[in-house]
Amino acid sequence: MMNQNPTRREREKVRQRQEMLAAALALFSEKGYLNVSMHEIAAKSEFAIGTLYKFFSSKEELYRALILEQSDRFLATLSKAIESPGDEIAKLRQYVKAKGEEFRDNAATIRLYFTETRGASFNIMAGLDQDIRNRRETFLHRIADIFESGIHTGRFQRIADPYILAVVFDNLCNSFLFLWLENPDKYSYPENPDIILNILFKGLIQP
Amino acid sequence: MMNQNPTRREREKVRQRQEMLAAALALFSEKGYLNVSMHEIAAKSEFAIGTLYKFFSSKEELYRALILEQSDRFLATLSKAIESPGDEIAKLRQYVKAKGEEFRDNAATIRLYFTETRGASFNIMAGLDQDIRNRRETFLHRIADIFESGIHTGRFQRIADPYILAVVFDNLCNSFLFLWLENPDKYSYPENPDIILNILFKGLIQP
Amino acid sequence: MMNQNPTRREREKVRQRQEMLAAALALFSEKGYLNVSMHEIAAKSEFAIGTLYKFFSSKEELYRALILEQSDRFLATLSKAIESPGDEIAKLRQYVKAKGEEFRDNAATIRLYFTETRGASFNIMAGLDQDIRNRRETFLHRIADIFESGIHTGRFQRIADPYILAVVFDNLCNSFLFLWLENPDKYSYPENPDIILNILFKGLIQP
Amino acid sequence: MMNQNPTRREREKVRQRQEMLAAALALFSEKGYLNVSMHEIAAKSEFAIGTLYKFFSSKEELYRALILEQSDRFLATLSKAIESPGDEIAKLRQYVKAKGEEFRDNAATIRLYFTETRGASFNIMAGLDQDIRNRRETFLHRIADIFESGIHTGRFQRIADPYILAVVFDNLCNSFLFLWLENPDKYSYPENPDIILNILFKGLIQP
DNA sequence: TATGAATGAGCTTTCATTCAT
DNA sequence: AATGAATGAAAGCTCATTCAT
């Protein structure tokens, strides 16, 4: 009874914070960082502007928090996928599937995330892009490890450096996912990971 | 005499316009659309602000003109590459090479271009992204034709739909080019197109 | 029992009020009225902001109460000094001494007080300056009475109207005290009242 | 003709600047620095807010410029007075007269000036008060030189250190001037400098 | 025709004050 | 009775755009 009271407050705070971030996410992904005003975010999340500033001391901090939290969530989900049991191919298949689901379920977030990883918003905010690129690179090395291991076990050929394979593989996924994002009716990617894996696994030229 | 005068005027106008666009390009790619003011562009190009507005009726129009012209130039260069003589593989090799040279020589432009194609600054400007994506799609179909032709002549296997192969191939190039842009010392892409082609041509898994 | 409880409450209230005023005094004299927030005062005095508003219905009222109480205390101290036994010269000497001690012991308060009497923050708050000037004027008349009396008893010459003498005398003290406040190492005013009195007593020009 | 055009522009600029400063002076002296908004100053001087910012890059800079220019003008006027021909007494008389005229003609400016010299606005603006105090001190030393000289020539007695005499003398003037400022009907100071000089010259106590 | 001084809408942020708990 | 979360008016400042010269 006595320690549930603070907990309720806490939970309430977390909920409010999430509502603010959700409103910010919707607006930023729709209009871009500099075209969104703090007043808009306050209005959309139905808080007073002062309340918004109680949670985030500046617009920049709000954006940073949003990007970092989403990117962590995104990478955590993908990490879990490549830790799934099975051989290297199974892991890659799981990864493709998980990434597809992320794109399908969090398109706005994903757009924002790519804004930051693709030098796109360059220089909007000192350091943020580096932070996120570093996280991405760390993550890419984990995929590289899968290729490394696959090469060791003889499952894969060493057609390129494992890190490069990881980058290529990841961007291969992105190619399909953007195709699908832009034309969801025509491309049904997220349902069939093997379309992607095949391209990587089979050579275009008969050996 | 009477119709050479307007011609000289015309040429002068074109030159001025290009100086303005060049200044804008430098500033936009350095600082991003919203962090650049019309006054800065006027100052950098050494025209009065009023003169700038004589050429471009708004900041948005200036940006649109810049992006569209650069993207046209970029795609024209790549188009020329795939029209080079030779078989399908030679065309692809030329394409990889030309794209690499573009990245090397026009990094700023390229960044700006990808800002627009990668949904990065998405919706900074209504319609612009669609315009550019349409052009890109038209262009991708020309690459798809190469794969189609390669499949017909038996040089390539039909491991996927030709348009998808085109998208994958193009993004594969981008992967390498961004690797190189971010880390020019470590990755020496533009010099050796075959590294990229090999990945597409050889399968990761021994058949 | 029943009327001691409210009394204790009363005393508690007075103590709280004084803590609030003390915190406010420290902050106002350090940073100026408009650079101090009610939250700061609440935090420094360790009360909730709501509690602060229970005691003072607005920031303005809090400031007014502070200034008025401090000015009353200040003038009460000086009044006591000029009521000390002795002739007019002794009274003036006591006054100089008491004022010096006030400056030494309550520099922050004094600064704030002079902010109000010296038109300094003029009109930050309608009416407050008049209130305080009135009190000061009343007090100056009490000093004027000393000069009046001194002239009557033949101790002083009527070199000017007694009220004017009072004003001059008081400002003379202030001159020294500010010299000392700004440069405590060089000027040791509060210790020797006669330096000041001499200037008033001896003419600059040999008669 | 060709070099009058820029001159007219220049003159126009100076006039605008002065109108802005005049509006700011009126508002600052009426309401205090922090109670005046840049919009108010713009409105009162009948310029757009952007135009105001073209002349003064921040509110602080505007205030600083105002105070510094006024204080320079004020001290320059007083300097000229003490450079007038005549013996030390004549110089002091000129000083008293000049200061009285300044108070009469520029009461608002004077109030603002004293805000800064009397620690009143303390800490509103880092450095500004020091700047002005330094100028005042430099100036006081020039008055001290007059007393020094008067003592040397035997006109004055050494009843105190010349710098202290200067401070006392200056504050003596201020006493009268503030009396007059607050009660112009009763006190007719600026017309008769000798009332002030007499107090300093004649001792209160018959020698 | 080219200029750049002038404009003012709109941005981020602060803080006195209220009121449900 | 005491609390402090929530409010929103209002501040300083920027910059796309206009228009008299």
Side-chain angles (χ1 to χ4, degrees):
Chain A
M1 210 177 187
M2 212 127 184
N3 69 339
Q4 192 147 22
N5 209 340
T7 303
R8 199 185 313 169
R9 276 269 167 92
E10 293 284 296
R11 260 183 284 151
E12 177 67 359
K13 280 229 166 200
V14 167
R15 195 186 54 72
Q16 289 178 325
R17 195 186 137 97
Q18 273 166 347
E19 273 172 31
M20 289 169 184
L21 287 171
L25 172 59
L27 289 167
F28 284 143
S29 68
E30 184 198 351
K31 304 160 79 174
Y33 180 75
L34 282 140
N35 294 306
V36 172
S37 77
M38 288 298 264
H39 272 100
E40 277 179 282
I41 297 172
K44 176 144 197 159
S45 58
E46 297 185 298
F47 291 97
I49 184 75
T51 309
L52 188 59
Y53 272 90
K54 281 275 195 316
F55 282 81
F56 304 98
S57 66
S58 72
K59 187 182 175 186
E60 180 172 330
E61 202 212 285
L62 166 53
Y63 185 72
R64 192 183 289 277
L66 177 61
I67 293 292
L68 255 26
E69 283 178 27
Q70 293 300 329
S71 117
D72 282 348
R73 196 195 46 69
F74 181 51
L75 293 182
T77 302
L78 299 185
S79 289
K80 211 177 284 175
I82 59 178
E83 280 158 12
S84 59
D87 63 14
E88 289 83 7
I89 293 176
K91 278 172 197 287
L92 295 183
R93 183 175 289 119
Q94 275 311 108
Y95 176 74
V96 174
K97 234 175 110 180
K99 196 163 188 177
E101 280 155 16
E102 274 295 316
F103 268 62
R104 186 191 55 209
D105 300 339
N106 305 289
T109 309
I110 293 306
R111 278 218 144 86
L112 218 51
Y113 174 75
F114 277 91
T115 299
E116 293 301 325
T117 47
R118 262 292 170 259
S121 76
F122 33 94
N123 291 19
I124 276 189
M125 211 162 296
L128 177 55
D129 49 350
Q130 257 321 313
D131 265 24
I132 296 205
R133 275 174 221 211
N134 291 344
R135 287 166 200 229
R136 181 177 184 241
E137 201 173 310
T138 303
F139 180 75
L140 283 172
H141 279 291
R142 305 191 55 191
I143 300 186
D145 290 343
I146 296 177
F147 284 105
E148 179 89 65
S149 152
I151 291 166
H152 261 280
T153 58
R155 262 186 201 96
F156 298 152
Q157 292 190 264
R158 181 174 224 103
I159 60 175
D161 172 77
Y163 180 72
I164 286 187
L165 284 174
V167 172
V168 164
F169 169 61
D170 191 47
N171 278 323
L172 194 57
C173 295
N174 293 345
S175 304
F176 276 82
L177 290 164
F178 280 115
L179 265 180
W180 168 75
L181 265 188
E182 282 161 26
N183 211 334
D185 300 330
K186 193 166 171 191
Y187 301 98
S188 55
Y189 158 78
E191 275 70 42
N192 188 359
D194 288 323
I195 294 175
I196 294 175
L197 293 175
N198 273 344
I199 290 179
L200 194 64
F201 290 165
K202 297 188 191 164
L204 188 61
I205 295 181
Q206 200 87 37
Chain B
M1 208 179 188
M2 209 128 186
N3 70 339
Q4 192 150 23
N5 209 339
T7 302
R8 199 185 310 162
R9 279 263 171 98
E10 292 282 299
R11 260 184 283 150
E12 177 66 1
K13 286 235 168 201
V14 166
R15 197 187 51 74
Q16 289 180 329
R17 193 187 137 97
Q18 271 166 349
E19 273 173 32
M20 289 170 185
L21 287 171
L25 171 60
L27 289 167
F28 284 142
S29 69
E30 184 198 349
K31 305 159 81 172
Y33 179 75
L34 279 137
N35 296 308
V36 172
S37 75
M38 288 298 266
H39 271 98
E40 276 178 284
I41 296 170
K44 179 147 197 157
S45 57
E46 296 184 298
F47 290 98
I49 185 78
T51 311
L52 191 58
Y53 272 89
K54 283 277 193 304
F55 282 80
F56 305 97
S57 67
S58 72
K59 187 181 175 187
E60 180 173 329
E61 203 213 284
L62 166 53
Y63 185 73
R64 189 183 296 275
L66 175 63
I67 293 292
L68 254 28
E69 283 178 26
Q70 292 299 328
S71 118
D72 282 349
R73 196 197 46 70
F74 182 51
L75 294 181
T77 304
L78 299 185
S79 288
K80 212 177 284 174
I82 58 178
E83 280 158 10
S84 60
D87 64 13
E88 290 83 8
I89 292 176
K91 281 173 194 284
L92 294 182
R93 184 174 289 119
Q94 275 311 109
Y95 175 75
V96 173
K97 238 176 109 177
K99 196 165 188 175
E101 281 156 17
E102 273 295 316
F103 267 63
R104 185 190 57 209
D105 300 339
N106 304 290
T109 311
I110 294 306
R111 277 221 147 83
L112 219 51
Y113 174 76
F114 277 91
T115 299
E116 293 302 325
T117 47
R118 262 293 168 260
S121 76
F122 33 92
N123 293 26
I124 272 189
M125 216 158 292
L128 176 55
D129 48 351
Q130 256 323 310
D131 268 22
I132 297 204
R133 276 173 220 212
N134 291 344
R135 286 163 202 233
R136 183 180 181 237
E137 201 173 310
T138 303
F139 180 75
L140 282 173
H141 278 292
R142 302 191 57 190
I143 302 186
D145 290 344
I146 298 177
F147 284 106
E148 180 88 63
S149 153
I151 291 166
H152 261 281
T153 59
R155 265 187 198 89
F156 298 152
Q157 293 190 265
R158 182 174 224 103
I159 60 174
D161 172 78
Y163 179 73
I164 287 187
L165 282 174
V167 172
V168 164
F169 170 61
D170 190 48
N171 278 323
L172 194 57
C173 295
N174 293 346
S175 303
F176 275 83
L177 291 164
F178 279 114
L179 266 180
W180 167 75
L181 263 188
E182 282 161 27
N183 212 333
D185 301 329
K186 194 166 169 191
Y187 301 99
S188 55
Y189 157 79
E191 275 72 43
N192 186 0
D194 288 324
I195 294 175
I196 293 174
L197 293 175
N198 272 344
I199 290 180
L200 194 63
F201 291 165
K202 297 189 191 163
L204 188 61
I205 294 181
Q206 198 89 37
Chain C
M1 209 178 186
M2 210 123 184
N3 70 339
Q4 191 149 23
N5 208 339
T7 301
R8 198 185 311 164
R9 280 263 171 97
E10 292 283 299
R11 262 183 282 152
E12 177 65 0
K13 285 236 169 201
V14 167
R15 196 185 53 73
Q16 289 179 328
R17 193 185 138 96
Q18 273 166 347
E19 274 173 30
M20 288 170 185
L21 287 171
L25 171 59
L27 289 167
F28 283 142
S29 68
E30 184 198 351
K31 305 159 82 172
Y33 179 74
L34 279 138
N35 296 307
V36 172
S37 75
M38 289 297 266
H39 271 98
E40 277 179 282
I41 298 171
K44 179 147 194 156
S45 57
E46 298 183 297
F47 290 97
I49 184 77
T51 311
L52 190 59
Y53 272 89
K54 283 278 193 306
F55 283 81
F56 306 97
S57 67
S58 72
K59 187 181 175 187
E60 180 173 330
E61 204 212 283
L62 165 54
Y63 185 74
R64 189 182 294 277
L66 175 62
I67 293 292
L68 255 25
E69 283 179 27
Q70 292 298 327
S71 120
D72 283 348
R73 195 196 46 69
F74 182 51
L75 294 181
T77 303
L78 299 184
S79 289
K80 214 177 282 173
I82 58 179
E83 280 158 11
S84 61
D87 63 13
E88 290 82 5
I89 293 176
K91 280 173 197 285
L92 293 182
R93 183 175 289 116
Q94 276 311 110
Y95 176 75
V96 173
K97 236 175 108 178
K99 196 164 187 176
E101 282 156 15
E102 274 294 317
F103 267 63
R104 187 190 55 210
D105 301 338
N106 305 290
T109 310
I110 294 305
R111 278 220 146 86
L112 218 51
Y113 174 75
F114 277 91
T115 298
E116 292 304 322
T117 49
R118 262 291 170 260
S121 76
F122 34 94
N123 292 24
I124 270 189
M125 215 158 293
L128 176 55
D129 50 350
Q130 256 323 312
D131 267 23
I132 295 204
R133 276 172 219 212
N134 291 344
R135 286 166 202 230
R136 183 180 182 236
E137 201 173 311
T138 304
F139 180 74
L140 283 172
H141 279 292
R142 304 191 55 189
I143 301 186
D145 290 344
I146 297 177
F147 284 105
E148 180 87 65
S149 152
I151 291 165
H152 262 280
T153 58
R155 264 187 199 92
F156 298 152
Q157 292 189 266
R158 182 176 224 100
I159 59 174
D161 172 76
Y163 180 72
I164 286 187
L165 283 174
V167 172
V168 165
F169 169 61
D170 190 47
N171 278 323
L172 195 56
C173 296
N174 293 346
S175 303
F176 276 82
L177 291 164
F178 280 114
L179 267 180
W180 168 75
L181 264 188
E182 282 161 25
N183 211 333
D185 300 329
K186 193 165 172 191
Y187 302 100
S188 56
Y189 158 78
E191 274 71 45
N192 187 358
D194 288 325
I195 294 174
I196 293 175
L197 292 175
N198 273 344
I199 290 179
L200 194 63
F201 291 165
K202 298 188 191 164
L204 188 62
I205 295 181
Q206 201 86 37
Chain D
M1 208 176 187
M2 210 126 184
N3 69 340
Q4 192 149 23
N5 208 341
T7 303
R8 197 185 314 168
R9 275 271 167 90
E10 292 283 298
R11 260 183 283 150
E12 177 67 358
K13 278 228 167 200
V14 167
R15 196 186 53 73
Q16 289 178 326
R17 195 187 138 96
Q18 271 165 349
E19 272 171 33
M20 288 170 185
L21 286 172
L25 172 59
L27 289 167
F28 284 144
S29 69
E30 184 197 348
K31 304 160 81 172
Y33 179 75
L34 283 140
N35 295 306
V36 172
S37 76
M38 289 298 265
H39 272 98
E40 276 179 283
I41 297 172
K44 177 146 197 158
S45 57
E46 297 184 299
F47 290 98
I49 184 76
T51 310
L52 187 59
Y53 273 91
K54 279 275 194 316
F55 283 79
F56 305 97
S57 66
S58 71
K59 187 182 176 186
E60 180 171 330
E61 204 213 283
L62 166 52
Y63 185 73
R64 192 182 292 275
L66 177 62
I67 294 293
L68 254 29
E69 282 178 27
Q70 293 300 330
S71 115
D72 282 348
R73 196 196 45 69
F74 182 50
L75 293 181
T77 303
L78 299 185
S79 290
K80 211 177 287 174
I82 58 178
E83 280 156 12
S84 60
D87 64 12
E88 290 83 6
I89 293 176
K91 281 172 195 285
L92 294 182
R93 184 174 289 118
Q94 276 310 109
Y95 176 74
V96 173
K97 238 176 107 179
K99 196 164 188 176
E101 282 155 17
E102 275 294 319
F103 267 64
R104 187 190 56 210
D105 300 339
N106 305 290
T109 310
I110 295 305
R111 279 221 144 84
L112 217 51
Y113 175 75
F114 277 91
T115 299
E116 293 302 324
T117 48
R118 263 291 170 261
S121 78
F122 34 93
N123 290 24
I124 276 188
M125 213 161 295
L128 177 56
D129 49 349
Q130 257 322 310
D131 266 24
I132 296 206
R133 275 173 222 211
N134 291 344
R135 286 164 202 232
R136 181 178 184 239
E137 201 172 309
T138 303
F139 181 75
L140 283 172
H141 279 291
R142 304 191 55 191
I143 301 186
D145 290 343
I146 297 177
F147 284 105
E148 181 87 63
S149 154
I151 291 165
H152 261 280
T153 59
R155 261 184 203 94
F156 298 152
Q157 293 190 262
R158 182 175 224 102
I159 60 174
D161 173 77
Y163 179 73
I164 286 187
L165 283 173
V167 172
V168 164
F169 169 61
D170 190 49
N171 277 323
L172 194 57
C173 296
N174 293 346
S175 304
F176 275 83
L177 291 164
F178 279 114
L179 265 179
W180 169 74
L181 264 188
E182 283 161 26
N183 211 334
D185 302 330
K186 194 165 170 191
Y187 301 98
S188 56
Y189 157 80
E191 275 71 44
N192 187 1
D194 288 325
I195 294 176
I196 294 175
L197 294 175
N198 273 344
I199 290 180
L200 195 63
F201 291 166
K202 298 188 191 166
L204 188 62
I205 296 180
Q206 200 88 39

